[in-house]
Amino acid sequence: MKATALLTGIAVVALSGVPAEAQTVLKFGHVGAPGSLFEMSANEFARCVNEAPGGVAQVQVFGSSQLGKDSELLQKLKLGQVQFALPSSVMSSVSDTFGVFEMPYIIQDRTHMKRVTDEMGDTFKDAAGAEGYRILGFWENGFRNITNNTRPINKPEDLDGIKLRTPKGEWRLKMFQAYGANPTPMAFSEVFTALQTGVIDGQENPLAQIWSAKFPEVQKYLSMTGHVYTPGYITTSQQQYDGWSDEVKAVVDECAVGTQAFVYETAAQLDKDLVGKIQEMGTEVNEADKQAFIDASKPIYEEFATSVEGGQDLIDKIQSLAKGS
């Protein structure tokens, strides 16, 4: 595999017409399946870098967890084995600061999220930096909804006893425990088989992930809860970033930030298009009682505010930026 990757890198360099010694080859690993928002986002970023004047860098994208699961990719960033990753929920395990995005319904819409990244982006970049990572841009995983094989989920009590896959992260676990579910942390790449074999009853993800991972093939119900908005963070390690030339840094920084608009526009369109496609697969869709979930979420906010340093301040700042959304 290593030899194949090396030959691929050489071929990309040769085709670009740029001398190999003038070009930095950068690997981008993510967990998204073909057709996912992650794949589209990473490919757009790669296009931007690869077509930049001067040809100083070439990005190679490896999706579907080819280079590792989220936690493995974060480790590989520090080892220099991968140059970019696109973590989302897992960042709440890197720093408690990111746990604020696990608070149900704290992000109202993408306009609100854009205000948060514009006004508070440095807060999250600093939190990642303290752990050796560098966030290059704020992209998206999306607004999460619940699928399962037991019953439609309209209110939190409908989750009682349901074995629900969640990403690794204490606040998602706490949230679904509070709702009465039996949350089970599991790598994304393992979810389809676990659903198919009945190891778990359901899972929660944005529509783009639900569709591209083919979950409608093994799930009876889709409940539009929209309970959490998960950002995606295009990330490298600070040590790797420091080792790049100024030219590479400039191109990478510009493309990482510039790709955000593409990500948000694409995500919004997918949200519009995919509900009907999922229904056509035979999955029953219902609109959940979001106010019931909001009411049941108050203890999670209280615990975050009191147990995480600066937690209440983070909540207050994000909520204040929702005005006018």
Side-chain angles (χ1 to χ4, degrees):
M1 182 175 291
K2 290 183 178 178
T4 301
L6 177 60
L7 289 171
T8 301
I10 293 172
V12 169
V13 169
L15 288 171
S16 70
V18 178
E21 64 270 16
Q23 197 162 50
T24 300
V25 178
L26 307 168
K27 293 182 181 179
F28 192 149
H30 66 82
V31 302
S36 66
L37 177 63
F38 274 15
E39 181 190 57
M40 296 177 195
S41 304
N43 286 348
E44 174 62 16
F45 170 75
R47 182 203 63 76
C48 179
V49 173
N50 296 348
E51 294 179 3
V56 295
Q58 282 285 325
V59 174
Q60 302 172 1
V61 179
F62 300 85
S64 299
S65 304
Q66 291 178 70
L67 300 184
K69 302 165 188 174
D70 275 328
S71 56
E72 294 168 337
L73 286 168
L74 286 173
Q75 293 173 351
K76 288 183 176 183
L77 288 179
K78 288 191 173 181
L79 293 172
Q81 297 171 346
V82 176
Q83 284 67 55
F84 304 111
L86 190 51
S88 54
S89 299
V90 72
M91 289 301 285
S92 64
S93 298
V94 172
S95 169
D96 285 338
T97 301
F98 292 92
V100 73
F101 291 117
E102 299 293 303
M103 298 300 101
Y105 304 99
I106 195 167
I107 297 296
Q108 302 299 308
D109 52 35
R110 292 180 180 92
T111 301
H112 181 198
M113 186 62 202
K114 184 66 167 59
R115 290 196 190 103
V116 171
T117 58
D118 288 347
E119 298 290 332
M120 299 176 62
D122 286 347
T123 297
F124 301 102
K125 289 180 178 180
D126 290 346
E131 301 301 324
Y133 299 105
R134 185 180 182 94
I135 293 176
L136 300 164
F138 295 90
W139 296 357
E140 174 175 317
N141 194 343
F143 289 94
R144 307 179 78 92
N145 300 286
I146 298 169
T147 67
N148 84 101
N149 284 324
T150 305
R151 65 181 76 93
I153 306 303
N154 185 49
K155 296 183 178 181
E157 48 264 38
D158 294 327
L159 283 165
D160 186 43
I162 289 179
K163 293 179 291 185
L164 193 76
R165 177 268 177 181
T166 66
K168 295 178 181 178
E170 66 170 318
W171 294 104
R172 195 74 58 83
L173 285 171
K174 288 176 183 287
M175 179 177 73
F176 280 109
Q177 285 168 347
Y179 294 162
N182 180 14
T184 305
M186 182 182 296
F188 184 74
S189 59
E190 301 169 5
V191 177
F192 183 91
T193 300
L195 291 169
Q196 189 177 44
T197 57
V199 172
I200 54 175
D201 302 313
Q203 61 81 53
E204 46 89 50
N205 257 297
L207 293 178
Q209 295 282 53
I210 291 170
W211 175 256
S212 62
K214 301 182 180 180
F215 293 156
E217 294 181 5
V218 290
Q219 293 280 261
K220 295 179 182 178
Y221 306 105
L222 165 63
S223 300
M224 301 296 290
T225 51
H227 50 275
V228 165
Y229 173 87
T230 314
Y233 313 90
I234 176 170
T235 306
T236 188
S237 72
Q238 187 62 51
Q239 184 175 9
Q240 289 201 73
Y241 184 86
D242 290 342
W244 296 339
S245 69
D246 289 344
E247 292 80 10
V248 171
K249 290 177 183 176
V251 170
V252 165
D253 287 343
E254 181 177 352
C255 289
V257 174
T259 299
Q260 185 192 59
F262 169 87
V263 173
Y264 282 9
E265 181 179 344
T266 302
Q269 190 61 49
L270 286 170
D271 280 351
K272 291 179 181 179
D273 295 342
L274 291 179
V275 173
K277 291 183 177 181
I278 291 170
Q279 284 179 311
E280 289 173 3
M281 293 284 292
T283 302
E284 181 180 322
V285 179
N286 72 285
E287 288 290 336
D289 182 350
K290 292 183 179 180
Q291 189 58 52
F293 279 93
I294 291 170
D295 293 343
S297 301
K298 291 177 182 178
I300 307 300
Y301 276 79
E302 291 170 359
E303 184 175 353
F304 185 85
T306 57
S307 65
V308 173
E309 184 177 354
Q312 186 65 59
D313 189 42
L314 281 170
I315 291 170
D316 291 344
K317 285 182 178 178
I318 290 176
Q319 290 181 330
S320 72
L321 293 169
K323 298 175 181 178
S325 290

